[in-house]
Amino acid sequence: MSPLISASQLQEQLADVLLIDCRHDLANPQAGRLAYAEGHLPGAYFLHLDDDLSGLKTGTNGRHPLPDPQVLADKLASLGLSRNRHVVAYDAQGGMYAARLWWLLRWLGHDQVQVLDGGMAAWQGRVVRDLPVPVAAKFVAELRPELKVDVKEVLENIQSAVFTVVDARSPSRFMGEGETLDPVGGHIPGAINRFFQNNVQEDGRFKPAEVLRVEWLSLLAGVDVSQTVQQCGSGVTACHNLLALEVAGLRGARLYAGSWSEWCADATRPVVARLE
């Protein structure tokens, strides 16, 4: 299954998919829920980045730690997710939040998931305010721990250089300039930068697969994609890079879910930043 679905394709399949609205705003955490109440795609349910697609924060495990897989699986099952159910996630931010759900479902062992290419802006059909009535189903997660790495592995990799870390944050944040979300600026030693917004066109849709493939292969400069680990500020936009790689047909990259917000929570971990 392609990782993306067009608005026209979704229109044809709308009655058969489990549709999830993932809209969010980091600066205003209630914005997504309010936008959903004002109008959403027919039949769509809403899942919140903080409340549903993230776990409990400890102060040291990042701003958006992974949710408990059983809790997430049960939540999705309550909305109608079953083993063979086709899921489509969408947002209004170029896929940056929908990609999180796309990755989480694959982590749970569910591959029949796509992201609406272009999100709300691409949708030409009806927008409704009616709330769907869920019909619970049975879904048993088959967790894929190999899709991610933890902070210990990333720390050890600084010496071993087994994999290449790719940071999805903006170039300025990568270099430690203008950091506003985390208390420390900079990046993990040895990391390279691929701003997630470079994956999409001006209209919010993903670049063509062949363009993404050329850009990513140029960035990796001979490093096999399976030897890369994607990270960002809190494990959200890193999923956008993972989605772009999948669109490009480049598979095997892993996620460092804790990302920079977890990394910089421990002052003993090394940091690289632009020197004044």
Side-chain angles (χ1 to χ4, degrees):
M1 177 176 285
S2 167
L4 299 177
I5 186 171
S6 70
S8 59
Q9 290 171 326
L10 178 59
Q11 184 76 59
E12 295 174 357
Q13 303 175 42
L14 196 59
D16 300 319
V17 303
L18 176 58
L19 193 57
I20 306 294
D21 187 318
C22 300
R23 284 178 287 176
H24 190 72
D25 184 344
L26 292 175
N28 179 10
Q30 296 309 313
R33 187 173 279 115
L34 292 172
Y36 175 80
E38 287 298 314
H40 50 266
L41 272 59
Y45 299 95
F46 179 77
L47 290 181
H48 194 278
L49 175 64
D50 298 325
D51 301 338
D52 302 307
L53 306 183
S54 302
L56 296 176
K57 293 186 286 188
T58 64
T60 60
N61 63 347
R63 285 183 282 109
H64 294 108
L66 292 181
D68 180 291
Q70 188 60 58
V71 171
L72 179 59
D74 290 345
K75 176 67 176 183
L76 290 164
S78 75
L79 301 181
L81 180 64
S82 59
R83 177 52 55 190
N84 297 315
R85 192 76 188 275
H86 178 190
V87 182
V88 174
Y90 73 90
D91 58 32
Q93 292 80 23
M96 66 181 290
Y97 302 114
R100 168 79 165 200
L101 178 57
W102 171 83
W103 185 89
L104 286 171
L105 277 163
R106 289 160 60 89
W107 178 53
L108 294 180
H110 191 79
D111 289 328
Q112 292 176 272
V113 54
Q114 295 177 298
V115 169
L116 175 58
D117 196 14
M120 284 291 292
W123 180 249
Q124 299 299 316
R126 291 187 307 126
V127 173
V128 303
R129 300 181 69 175
D130 299 338
L131 299 181
V133 178
V135 177
K138 181 179 180 181
F139 175 71
V140 178
E142 297 178 0
L143 205 60
R144 293 168 171 161
E146 69 275 9
L147 295 186
K148 67 181 185 68
V149 300
D150 60 24
V151 67
K152 180 175 181 290
E153 292 172 276
V154 177
L155 184 59
E156 291 173 348
N157 187 68
I158 293 175
Q159 297 299 322
S160 64
V162 172
F163 53 79
T164 298
V165 174
V166 183
D167 192 322
R169 295 175 300 160
S170 67
S172 59
R173 288 187 68 204
F174 178 76
M175 292 310 302
E177 299 172 346
E179 179 60 66
T180 59
L181 293 174
D182 294 304
V184 179
H187 61 264
I188 297 169
I192 60 176
N193 186 217
R194 166 72 179 190
F195 189 24
F196 79 96
Q197 290 188 8
N198 291 337
N199 297 322
V200 296
Q201 306 170 124
E202 290 186 4
D203 62 2
R205 291 183 299 164
F206 276 76
K207 293 175 179 177
E210 59 272 18
V211 173
L212 287 170
R213 186 177 182 88
V214 168
E215 291 180 357
W216 274 94
L217 290 178
S218 176
L219 173 74
L220 297 179
V223 175
D224 190 281
V225 69
S226 65
Q227 297 303 311
T228 68
V229 166
Q230 308 295 318
Q231 57 105 172
C232 55
S234 64
V236 176
T237 58
C239 295
H240 197 277
N241 274 355
L242 287 161
L243 178 59
L245 285 167
E246 192 78 14
V247 171
L250 300 171
R251 300 177 177 87
R254 293 177 289 171
L255 173 68
Y256 168 35
S259 286
W260 181 250
S261 54
E262 177 183 55
W263 183 266
C264 73
D266 185 338
T268 67
R269 297 181 190 129
V271 168
V272 175
R274 177 173 288 160
L275 299 177
E276 299 294 338

